[in-house]
Amino acid sequence: MDIKDIHNLADIFDNKVRIYKKACDFILKSDTKHSEELFLLMLGISDSLESLSFLSKINKMRDCYAISRMIYETVINVLYISATDFKAMEDMIKYTEEKSKHDSARSIATDKETVFITFDGELHTVGFVKNNPIKMKGDPRTWTNQNIDKRINIINKKYGDTVSRFLQLAHLTIYRTSSDIIHGTLYGSRHMLGIVNKKDSSFSIEGMITHNHSVIITLMLTISQCIYSILYAFNKEIEGIKEFEKEYEDLLQKYLKKGQEVLSKI
C-alpha cells in the first residue's frame, strides 16, 4: 500500500462528493421546509468533504480526524432535524439568533487580568483590564438539549437501522480519537505515530505511514457512509433524491471493494 492507493480511493471519494453537491443544489431548489437553512448546513459538509479529500492525498491523518469530526457532527444535526419533521430547526434558528447577540463581545480572564475584544459594527477593540467588563449571561452553549446518543435514537426511529448503524460506527471510529487530537493530548500524538494499543510499541517511519494510510482509508469510508445516510433518509422525504442515492450507493460499493483490496496488502 502506498500513496497512489490513497489517491485512487480519493478519486472515488471525489466522485461521491460531486453527487452529494448535486443533491444539495436539488434540495435548495425544492420546496423542502427550511430548505435555505438546511442547505447552509449541507454546504458546510460539502466544504469539509473537499478538505478531507485534499488532506487524505497528502497523508495528513491527524487533520483528517478533525475534519471528519466536523462532518460527522453536522450530519447528525441534519438528520436529527429531518427526523423531527424539521421542528428542531426552530431550535437551531433560535440558538443562532441568541448566539449572534453575544458575538460582538468576548473575554477571557486570569487571576491577574481580563483580555476582551469587542466589535461595534465598524471598529474592533482589544482591551486589557483588571475586572471583566463583558457580561456573557444568556449566551447559549448548545443548540439542543439532546445529546448525540439521543439524537441518533430519534433518527433511528424515523429512518431505521441502515442510517443509525452508519452513524454509530462513525461515532466509534471518529469521536473519541478526534477529541484527543483536537485537544492536543499525548494519546492523540501517539495515535498519529501508530503506537497506541499495540503489543509492539516500537516506532518506525514505515509503520507510521502504513498506519496513517489505513486510518485515512477508514475515515473516508466512514464519512462516505454518513453522507449516504443523508441521501438515504432524504429519499424518504424529498421526491427526486432517489437517483442521487442510487448513483452514490454504487460508488460507495466501489470504494468499499477497492479499499478492501488495498488494506489486504498490509
Side-chain angles (χ1 to χ4, degrees), residues 48-94:
S48 293
L49 287 171
E50 292 177 343
S51 297
L52 178 59
S53 175
F54 176 79
L55 291 168
S56 297
K57 294 170 185 174
I58 56 175
N59 197 30
K60 299 298 182 182
M61 181 269 281
R62 186 173 182 272
D63 293 343
C64 283
Y65 259 113
I67 296 294
S68 295
R69 171 74 173 267
M70 291 165 56
I71 297 170
Y72 166 69
E73 294 216 38
T74 312
V75 168
I76 291 285
N77 288 342
V78 167
L79 287 170
Y80 169 64
I81 288 168
S82 180
T84 63
D85 296 323
F86 295 92
K87 294 176 183 177
M89 183 62 89
E90 300 296 336
D91 295 330
M92 182 166 277
I93 291 172
K94 182 179 179 180

Side-chain angles (χ1 to χ4, degrees), residues 131-181:
N131 297 315
N132 191 349
I134 308 299
K135 305 301 181 184
M136 298 303 296
K137 186 177 180 180
D139 185 17
R141 296 290 183 180
T142 59
W143 77 275
T144 177
N145 59 5
Q146 303 286 346
N147 63 25
I148 286 182
D149 288 357
K150 291 179 180 177
R151 273 176 272 168
I152 292 177
N153 189 50
I154 291 169
I155 292 166
N156 174 261
K157 289 179 180 178
K158 181 69 179 288
Y159 300 118
D161 294 343
T162 298
V163 171
S164 62
R165 284 177 177 173
F166 280 154
L167 299 179
Q168 289 170 299
L169 288 170
H171 191 87
L172 296 176
T173 303
I174 296 168
Y175 200 86
R176 182 182 176 187
T177 303
S178 67
S179 291
D180 275 283
I181 289 173

Side-chain angles (χ1 to χ4, degrees), residues 215-253:
V215 170
I216 286 171
I217 290 171
T218 303
L219 288 175
M220 283 198 292
L221 172 61
T222 305
I223 289 301
S224 295
Q225 291 171 331
C226 286
I227 301 304
Y228 177 71
S229 295
I230 291 179
L231 298 179
Y232 179 91
F234 279 17
N235 181 46
K236 300 179 182 298
E237 304 287 348
I238 305 170
E239 187 176 351
I241 294 295
K242 181 63 179 179
E243 61 178 284
F244 301 112
E245 180 204 346
K246 182 62 173 67
E247 192 174 357
Y248 189 99
E249 183 183 17
D250 290 344
L251 285 169
L252 181 59
Q253 293 300 325

Side-chain angles (χ1 to χ4, degrees), residues 17 37 70-71 95 124 232-233 248 260:
V17 174
E37 292 87 353
M70 291 165 56
I71 297 170
Y95 166 84
H124 285 93
Y232 179 91
Y248 189 99
Q260 290 173 333

